[in-house]
Amino acid sequence: MVKPASLAEHLECHQVSRRGFLKFCALTTSMMALSPSMMPAVARALEKARRPSVIWLSFQECTGCTESLTRSHSPTIENLILNYLSLDYHHTLQAASGDAAERAREAAMSENYGQYILAVDGSIPVKDGGVYSTIAGVSNLEMLQHTVAGAAAVVAIGSCAAFGGLPHAHPNPTGAVPVQELVHDKPVVNVSGCPPIPVVISGVLAHYLTFGRIPDLDSYGRPLSFFGASIHDRCYRRPYYNKGLFAETFDDEGAKNGWCLFKLGCKGPTTYNACATAKWNQGTSFPIQSGHGCIGCSEPHFWDAGGFYQPLSAGIGSVGTLAGMAVVAGAAAGTAAGRLHQAKRKQAQRQHEKVTVADLEETDS
Amino acid sequence: MTVSVERGIQTLKEHIDAPVASFFTTCVHCGMCADACLFYTETKDPKYTPIYKLKPMRRLWHQEYTFWGKLAAKLGLSKPVTAAELKEWEELVYDSCTMCGRCSMTCPVGNDIVYMIRKMREGMVAAGFAPEGLKAATKRAITIGSPMGVKLPALKNQIKHIETDTGLTIPVDVNGAEYMALLSSMEIMNFPEYIGAIAKIFHSAGISWTLASDAFEATNSGIQIGSSDLAAELVARVVAAAERLKVAYVISPECGHAYMALRWEGPNLIGRPFSFKVIHILELLDQLRAQNRLPVTGKIKEKLTLHDPCQIVRRGGVVDEPRRLLDMVAADFEEMEDHGVMNWCCGGGGGVSANERASKLKLTAFNRKRHQLEALGVNTLITACANCRITLEEGLEFNNMDVVVLGLAETLAEHLEQQTSSSATTATQ
């Protein structure tokens, strides 16, 4: 098979229309929080982009991240972008096994040394010399160090690779650590989430293909454009929170009316991710929309952050009354301040001195 | 009554309304407006970031209308707006802003930045910090009736020439005409072809129209300098003439801000609805085109492009009309990369061209247009604003570029089919 020369041709082979491609570019542009006028530039860059080599290493993980990417109902463009990458080594997806598989990795590394993108899912055990997870007799730690040497950038996919995830949870028997604790001399992008949203992964790769560098990151090393706002701030149930309307149990009136799940342990206010806007299963829904609170899977140490059904504010009294009172007090203060400001503006208007030609005389001294 | 910082601040206080408060509150400091502004893109000087041009007004809002701001001001943690500061900002608010409104288009939270610049200028005028050139132009507009000092005899003189050239009568002060046409001084003095062009087209289409001897000037320097009081006075003159002549429509000429001043700001400035409708000449020509009353022959063969005047296109919504009109006479029309509502300003709008101090900066900003033209490699540029046209011609000459600038109305008039029947002639009577 002849490898397609550019992404545009590749998409055409897969019968993705020009319109579909541009829609993807527009979505990617907006998801990456770029100016709308950048859209044509993104389209041009992606059209011309060459197949970058990607080596995907899986360490202490559950394959959920790969599942998230590959399990789409229909071949999405994200998926095709992923297919389009020269995925030269991936345990789960590659046909080769044993020595042949490891040779493929060595070959990809030497052919594209200094150029390839290293994708990692899963955390790396470092306790007792890293003996707790090995591949082909090589410890994860050693394989990472070996492979990262020739990488242009590292994308840590999923909360395990980004923050340690489940293996890192107390008491962390294997001494699991995230990629960023081991890699210091290469740019690392953390695409956290358990699993992460597919479009975030494709967005990061599209950004790299378009601009040749990794996107702007937040303090946890996550792409700011996707992790810049909390789930809570973008949640369609937010108005209920503002009004103090909460579901108390999963089967009460509030739950049926779709009220805020804060009291049922929703971690939306402290979780930064794009679930509420990008959603899951091709924009169908996200956990809160299907009636369950956010568990905060894209935040560091979320496994150790208390029960999933424990409200964030547990222990400080009745949230409903308190929030209600705060809202009333806030509204009252706001209205009073508004009136005051309006009066001030009206007064300024009453004192208005009409501007005349005389006022245009030279005043500069 | 004299201008002073106190008066300026008082004026700003009266103009900080709910939209301004919400814009300042929601600004996320992303800086995306910088890349939308040609004064930033051509100089890369961060002080030209549009939102930064509003800094004193923003601080005043914070100090006067927010809890923490008031507290900080009381504790002496935030200093009051001073004369020196306003003086410093004069250049940012006037010289480096053409009020083109491109920044408002790119703001991700939808803040109308140019709306705030317009309000900031209100305060600047009251504080006495407006550019001398713009002050002088406004003074002439109020006292003489035209920012360029054009008086009625000068117009009459031009009319005489045009009548000789075209063999048509230019109607003045015709009671009950359907349309009252306005002109900009720039057209009367520099591009009188426009008057001949509309006379020919209207004659051919059988339109009853007139000029008003006491309100022929369309430009509104009050809007440019940013004083609602002065702008209202200029609008009131046009309204009085239109109502005296009992016209149904007032035609805004090929001038950008005149259209915005009369159509969008006008009724708000005088505080009541107009008894007539305001229509831009391009809108009227496009209506004539749709009714087959604008027969043209022949097409311009060489490649040409269109410069969109910001106030007509982005701020005015007249986007498709010039393109449909141009299609009738242009065989090879190519768009610039950023066009229509995302066009780039010529660099001379919003009073910049009346402000001599800004001329160097204006020519620097013109580089944006230069690059756009060079990318297309055209030698003909059509536009529909006399002020754009003069700015473009200046920029082209400065850069030794061989590009001809033409007005759209006169281009159409040149291709107008010659009259064969007398039906149209009788219709004008």
Side-chain angles (χ1 to χ4, degrees):
Chain A
M1 195 189 121
V2 182
K3 284 186 178 181
S6 76
L7 179 56
E9 287 165 37
H10 176 79
L11 292 176
E12 219 177 285
C13 290
H14 287 76
Q15 295 181 338
V16 173
S17 66
R18 176 84 188 150
R19 188 181 165 78
F21 172 65
L22 288 177
K23 261 170 83 179
F24 171 76
C25 293
L27 175 75
T28 309
T29 309
S30 69
M31 292 294 282
M32 293 192 291
L34 300 170
S35 154
S37 57
M38 287 298 291
M39 204 281 264
V42 171
R44 273 200 300 276
L46 284 183
E47 260 174 357
K48 289 195 199 122
R50 302 276 143 179
R51 283 168 65 97
S53 169
V54 173
I55 295 178
W56 185 302
L57 298 179
S58 300
F59 299 139
Q60 292 196 122
E61 48 87 41
C62 68
T63 316
C65 297
T66 305
E67 287 283 316
S68 162
L69 274 165
T70 53
R71 280 217 175 200
S72 304
H73 295 282
S74 57
T76 61
I77 301 184
E78 290 102 279
N79 221 325
L80 286 172
I81 292 255
L82 205 79
N83 292 342
Y84 158 77
L85 300 169
S86 178
L87 199 48
D88 292 324
Y89 179 85
H90 188 303
H91 293 163
T92 321
L93 301 180
Q94 69 198 2
S97 63
D99 281 349
E102 293 312 307
R103 275 203 303 275
R105 180 169 64 87
E106 300 285 348
M109 278 179 64
S110 60
E111 271 169 38
N112 305 292
Y113 203 80
Q115 310 283 326
Y116 58 84
I117 301 172
L118 176 61
V120 178
D121 68 330
S123 58
I124 304 99
V126 293
K127 203 167 151 188
D128 303 329
V131 296
Y132 296 106
S133 177
T134 59
I135 297 161
V138 178
S139 78
N140 290 170
L141 180 61
E142 210 177 312
M143 185 178 280
L144 175 69
Q145 280 163 345
H146 180 226
T147 319
V148 83
V154 187
V155 185
I157 291 169
S159 290
C160 294
F163 306 126
L166 186 64
H168 180 271
H170 182 77
N172 191 2
T174 65
V177 295
V179 173
Q180 59 187 359
E181 279 188 27
L182 300 171
V183 178
H184 301 291
D185 53 348
K186 296 281 155 93
V188 178
V189 184
N190 286 332
V191 180
S192 65
C194 189
I197 304 172
V199 74
V200 179
I201 303 179
S202 65
V204 169
L205 295 175
H207 190 286
Y208 187 80
L209 292 178
T210 308
F211 299 106
R213 59 174 177 82
I214 61 167
D216 291 339
L217 305 177
D218 72 0
S219 56
Y220 288 130
R222 302 178 293 195
L224 208 49
S225 46
F226 298 99
F227 294 90
S230 72
I231 302 284
H232 189 56
D233 282 343
R234 294 278 184 259
C235 181
Y236 76 104
R237 294 196 189 205
R238 177 67 186 264
Y240 296 115
Y241 174 89
N242 291 355
K243 284 184 195 150
L245 297 174
F246 298 98
E248 304 277 342
T249 63
F250 281 107
D251 56 357
D252 68 355
E253 271 311 293
K256 283 172 192 155
N257 290 335
W259 290 353
C260 179
L261 300 168
F262 182 84
K263 286 172 127 182
L264 290 170
C266 180
K267 304 293 184 286
T270 54
T271 306
Y272 289 77
N273 206 340
C275 300
T277 41
K279 299 197 179 173
W280 287 83
N281 300 323
Q282 276 131 67
T284 308
S285 181
F286 72 110
I288 295 172
Q289 196 173 341
S290 46
H292 192 287
C294 168
I295 62 170
C297 74
S298 59
E299 293 303 303
H301 318 302
F302 85 100
W303 292 106
D304 294 327
F308 289 164
Y309 303 101
Q310 198 179 356
L312 280 168
S313 58
I316 60 160
S318 167
V319 177
T321 331
L322 200 69
M325 271 159 56
V327 167
V328 170
T335 314
R339 288 249 167 78
L340 210 68
H341 294 153
Q342 214 163 31
K344 190 188 262 185
R345 190 170 161 244
K346 285 270 152 62
Q347 196 200 354
Q349 276 170 346
R350 274 195 301 277
Q351 292 170 350
H352 178 81
E353 293 172 39
K354 199 168 174 191
V355 176
T356 63
V357 186
D359 292 322
L360 300 179
E361 297 305 327
E362 307 232 350
T363 47
D364 296 344
S365 46
Chain B
M1 227 173 357
T2 49
V3 291
S4 65
V5 180
E6 293 72 35
R7 192 173 159 198
I9 286 174
Q10 190 73 2
T11 306
L12 285 176
K13 266 156 78 174
E14 99 188 59
H15 280 277
I16 296 176
D17 53 8
V20 173
S22 66
F23 295 160
F24 281 146
T25 312
T26 52
C27 173
V28 292
H29 307 267
C30 68
M32 266 163 73
C33 50
D35 280 323
C37 179
L38 74 169
F39 291 96
Y40 170 76
T41 61
E42 301 315 301
T43 61
K44 295 286 175 202
D45 189 336
K47 74 176 176 181
Y48 295 132
T49 303
I51 194 73
Y52 182 72
K53 298 172 190 172
L54 294 160
K55 201 178 160 198
M57 180 160 145
R58 183 185 187 123
R59 204 166 76 245
L60 185 71
W61 158 75
H62 195 241
Q63 288 170 350
E64 295 286 339
Y65 296 112
T66 67
F67 173 76
W68 293 111
K70 280 192 273 196
L71 190 68
K74 282 226 170 70
L75 296 174
L77 297 172
S78 118
K79 52 181 181 25
V81 176
T82 61
E85 192 176 1
L86 290 181
K87 179 78 202 140
E88 191 188 336
W89 251 261
E90 183 185 315
E91 190 230 342
L92 297 180
V93 178
Y94 286 102
D95 300 22
S96 72
C97 176
T98 61
M99 310 231 288
C100 79
R102 204 170 185 273
C103 48
S104 298
M105 298 295 286
T106 58
C107 177
V109 292
N111 290 347
D112 192 350
I113 300 168
V114 69
Y115 171 91
M116 297 195 278
I117 295 273
R118 167 77 180 77
K119 287 188 173 285
M120 173 103 181
R121 287 188 181 186
E122 295 274 354
M124 296 297 275
V125 174
F129 294 116
E132 292 310 319
L134 201 46
K135 276 197 218 171
T138 311
K139 226 185 295 179
R140 282 192 295 271
I142 298 281
T143 53
I144 302 174
S146 144
M148 286 168 72
V150 178
K151 292 182 186 167
L152 186 61
L155 172 63
K156 284 202 163 150
N157 206 21
Q158 292 288 38
I159 286 179
K160 217 180 291 168
H161 286 301
I162 293 157
E163 287 182 335
T164 319
D165 287 351
T166 60
L168 297 169
T169 314
I170 307 292
V172 180
D173 289 334
V174 177
N175 250 311
E178 195 180 358
Y179 292 91
M180 178 175 113
L182 297 175
L183 304 167
S184 67
S185 293
M186 208 88 89
E187 279 158 346
I188 300 169
M189 300 318 291
N190 300 346
F191 310 114
E193 320 67 290
Y194 171 77
I195 310 172
I198 60 166
K200 274 195 244 171
I201 292 171
F202 289 174
H203 175 74
S204 146
I207 278 181
S208 81
W209 69 291
T210 185
L211 290 170
S213 59
D214 54 349
F216 53 84
E217 179 62 61
T219 54
N220 191 323
S221 307
I223 290 283
Q224 294 181 326
I225 201 165
S227 167
S228 295
D229 293 331
L230 299 174
E233 192 173 333
L234 297 172
V235 168
R237 290 177 191 171
V238 173
V239 174
E243 291 182 347
R244 174 172 61 82
L245 296 172
K246 298 189 186 61
V247 296
Y249 295 92
V250 169
I251 308 168
S252 172
E254 286 197 345
C255 169
H257 83 276
Y259 178 59
M260 174 264 279
L262 198 59
R263 180 149 182 187
W264 310 122
E265 291 223 21
N268 292 323
L269 285 170
I270 65 164
R272 67 173 172 89
F274 292 163
S275 63
F276 52 87
K277 282 190 174 154
V278 177
I279 185 170
H280 191 266
I281 181 71
L282 294 185
E283 291 179 289
L284 176 58
L285 292 177
D286 191 51
Q287 282 175 14
L288 295 179
R289 178 201 57 82
Q291 298 161 0
N292 293 321
R293 291 163 76 192
L294 187 58
V296 290
T297 54
K299 288 203 170 193
I300 304 170
K301 285 189 190 65
E302 57 262 38
K303 187 157 97 170
L304 52 79
T305 189
L306 175 72
H307 166 74
D308 287 301
C310 309
Q311 302 300 335
I312 296 172
V313 176
R314 178 160 40 242
R315 306 291 286 174
V318 184
V319 185
D320 297 329
E321 287 85 344
R323 290 170 170 76
R324 285 197 291 259
L325 291 167
L326 203 50
D327 256 2
M328 297 201 295
V329 292
D332 187 6
F333 165 51
E334 200 173 324
E335 293 275 19
M336 293 187 225
E337 189 176 330
D338 285 317
H339 60 266
V341 294
M342 286 309 284
N343 81 311
W344 287 98
C345 179
C346 62
V352 171
S353 62
N355 175 5
E356 295 88 5
R357 186 183 60 199
S359 54
K360 200 171 156 231
L361 186 60
K362 181 179 73 179
L363 286 169
T364 308
F366 180 78
N367 283 334
R368 177 50 66 163
K369 196 52 61 180
R370 179 166 68 85
H371 293 314
Q372 281 191 299
L373 292 171
E374 282 169 353
L376 285 186
V378 292
N379 293 320
T380 309
L381 177 60
I382 308 273
T383 190
C385 167
N387 188 54
C388 289
R389 193 168 165 185
I390 206 104
T391 307
L392 292 167
E393 284 181 352
E394 229 176 281
L396 292 166
E397 194 185 314
F398 180 79
N399 290 293
N400 293 318
M401 290 167 74
D402 187 20
V403 178
V404 183
V405 189
L406 297 170
L408 183 48
E410 73 184 75
T411 308
L412 288 167
E414 264 171 37
H415 288 81
L416 199 63
E417 226 165 59
Q418 290 302 310
Q419 284 295 302
T420 46
S421 72
S422 61
S423 59
T425 331
T426 47
T428 45
Q429 301 310 310

